[in-house]
Amino acid sequence: DIQMTQSPSSLSASVGDRVTITCRASQSISGYLNWYQQRPGKAPKLLIYAASTFQSGVPSRFSGSGSGTDFTLTISNLQPEDFATYYCQQSFSAPYTFGQGTKLQIK
Amino acid sequence: EEQLVESGGGLIQPGGSLRLSCAASGLTVSRNYMSWVRQAPGKGLEWVSIIYSGLDTYYADSVKGRFIISRDNSKNTLYLQMNSLRDEDTAVYYCGRDQGHGHLGMDVWGQGTTVTVSS
């Protein structure tokens, strides 16, 4: 099975900041990497799929990049509603494993 | 509007069985790849299982041999039969639609149903 490792596990930032979350796969997953946002008590929301493609309705301050084993999610100009937990997921081969999550908190 | 609604969660003793349902509206379960994902209290997301439109199924190692994913096309509903339940199966269970034949992420999610395994 493919293991996904996210870093950092938590992150403190201020409104207006730019932050980057990284995700590393234990083997190449080509570009089959998805990013989700989850707010407390809510279902996850797909932000980016195929490493860098925005899901419909996602603000352009979110961006994704990477291929192979190393990927990043960048959030520019942080807004209050962006403080949540973020997960990466590989969809290259089943089981479609998730990273352990990154909790983005207000500084 | 595409919508998924889970049901069937509850309190169950270790070793017991439970069947979760995921009723779909605005999308056709049989034409999509559909998944179950769970989240233990205070923990991260754990992928559980997927069923392809062609009926191929895959499972996480943690549930293989105990859980069965299936669907009823006439009811447009996805199921997760959970047998031999363990304490560590306690979680909120979400169903979702996998876009792009499973390769482009889960774009539609249900609200989740809570399963508690405890004596």
Side-chain angles (χ1 to χ4, degrees):
Chain A
D1 297 355
I2 299 172
Q3 308 303 316
M4 305 301 294
T5 303
Q6 268 181 255
S7 61
S9 56
S10 64
L11 181 58
S12 295
S14 302
V15 172
D17 283 354
R18 171 183 164 128
V19 298
T20 297
I21 299 169
T22 64
C23 184
R24 175 166 288 176
S26 60
Q27 66 185 71
S28 177
I29 56 171
S30 186
Y32 294 111
L33 192 282
N34 312 307
W35 290 100
Y36 299 86
Q37 176 193 66
Q38 187 180 33
R39 297 190 177 103
K42 300 295 186 182
K45 173 186 174 182
L46 180 63
L47 297 175
I48 289 172
Y49 62 90
S52 60
T53 304
F54 295 107
Q55 183 66 11
S56 175
V58 172
S60 59
R61 61 180 180 272
F62 291 90
S63 64
S65 65
S67 66
T69 60
D70 294 315
F71 301 85
T72 60
L73 172 70
T74 299
I75 314 171
S76 302
N77 188 23
L78 275 170
Q79 298 300 298
E81 60 269 27
D82 299 337
F83 292 93
T85 301
Y86 294 85
Y87 295 92
C88 62
Q89 180 205 28
Q90 65 84 14
S91 51
F92 177 74
S93 67
Y96 295 145
T97 41
F98 288 90
Q100 78 275 19
T102 296
K103 186 173 184 178
L104 177 56
Q105 303 174 94
I106 298 177
K107 185 183 290 183
Chain B
E1 180 189 4
E2 297 172 323
Q3 190 174 8
L4 299 171
V5 178
E6 300 96 337
S7 60
L11 175 63
I12 187 77
Q13 291 188 340
S17 297
L18 207 56
R19 188 178 79 161
L20 305 183
S21 301
C22 170
S25 57
L27 66 91
T28 303
V29 167
S30 63
R31 295 179 186 171
N32 285 278
Y33 287 36
M34 303 292 296
S35 288
W36 288 96
V37 171
R38 68 184 181 183
Q39 186 168 36
K43 302 297 185 182
L45 301 174
E46 180 185 13
W47 183 88
V48 173
S49 182
I50 190 169
I51 183 167
Y52 292 176
S53 54
L55 287 178
D56 286 350
T57 59
Y58 295 89
Y59 299 91
D61 288 346
S62 59
V63 307
K64 199 175 297 181
R66 300 188 299 123
F67 290 11
I68 300 171
I69 190 171
S70 65
R71 68 184 188 225
D72 185 330
N73 297 345
S74 66
K75 296 182 178 179
N76 204 26
T77 298
L78 176 73
Y79 299 103
L80 185 68
Q81 177 68 42
M82 304 187 297
N83 301 320
S84 302
L85 282 161
R86 306 167 180 168
D87 290 351
E88 56 264 34
D89 296 319
T90 293
V92 175
Y93 285 74
Y94 298 99
C95 64
R97 190 265 300 275
D98 291 82
Q99 58 182 3
H101 292 266
H103 290 304
L104 301 181
M106 293 171 63
D107 65 331
V108 181
W109 293 69
Q111 84 289 352
T113 187
T114 300
V115 173
T116 303
V117 183
S118 175
S119 53

